[in-house]
Amino acid sequence: MTRPAPPAVPTREEIADAAGRIAGRVRRTPVIEWSVPVGGREVPVTAKLELLQHTGSFKPRGAFHRILSAPERPGLVVAASGGNHGLAVAHAARALGIEAEVFVPESAPAVKVEGIRARGARVTLAGASYAEAAAASAERASAPGALAVHAYDDPAVLAGQGTVALELSEQAPDLDTVLVATGGGGLIGGVAAWYGTGTRVVSVETHGAPTMHAALAAGRPVDVAVGGLAADSLGAKRIGAHGFAGAVAAGVTAVLVEEEAVRAARRLLWEDLRVTAEPGGAVALAALLQGAYSPAAGERVGVVVCGGNADPHDLAVPR
């Protein structure tokens, strides 16, 4: 019986190669220097505004890299997604002139489903969760000429997502700590692979979707119950093996936040910066507001604001 290959973690060289491969197809998103009120003091924060990426999240980086690094050009790309990955795959496929089919759970936000269709991809509703949509996509992805583009558990996807950290290290080279929201582990795995042990990387999740927190406690990826405010973007039921391996190698730690802190983070991003983050995109900032991560005096902190695909109507409602 053949043992499965061990999880692969992209090297810094592979992430740099990914940046070259996807150059001109993704945006170099800006950073903004900001002060965040935490526990009666102002904490300087460097916010990486990855929600300004094409399709409103970091996901096109991994999608483009997975497709462009394939041995042969596919005739069809297939993906399962809670929304953001599907938008990215649809966008990348259209840009490259390739057909796309995206399987989404029935609970996927309408704004994301409509966005996937608007980019020319076929949408198939399948099941109540991302895991069920992923299972439904497997048969279609096995068709001749098709390429499966996994939302997070693929080394090529991790290398693409790691270009977020490559850019951030150039834009803010002296950071001590970077806070990153975690769902399936593609972003945290790529960021951790780039920074290694030289910069502290902290995984932030809600109590409703604690994949990294549970995996670190167990010493391996384990299934968790998924639900709550950010489940559409951070709703994987198990951390990906490749992302987890990258996180462990880099010494990533994990913290959990309450949903009210996520709501407060969304409001603060809107009120101070006029940035309309989705709940998953505000999770990393919530760790500071709640005190789940408390930086030392003088610590230089980066926060990845990773997604903005949400209805912003509630952001301007008075508290």
Side-chain angles (χ1 to χ4, degrees), residues 182 203 205-207 209-220 222 224 239 244 253-256:
T182 299
S203 166
E205 302 163 292
T206 65
H207 287 275
T211 56
M212 180 66 79
H213 192 273
L216 290 175
R220 58 184 175 83
V222 293
V224 299
I239 199 77
F244 181 67
T253 57
V255 299
L256 299 178

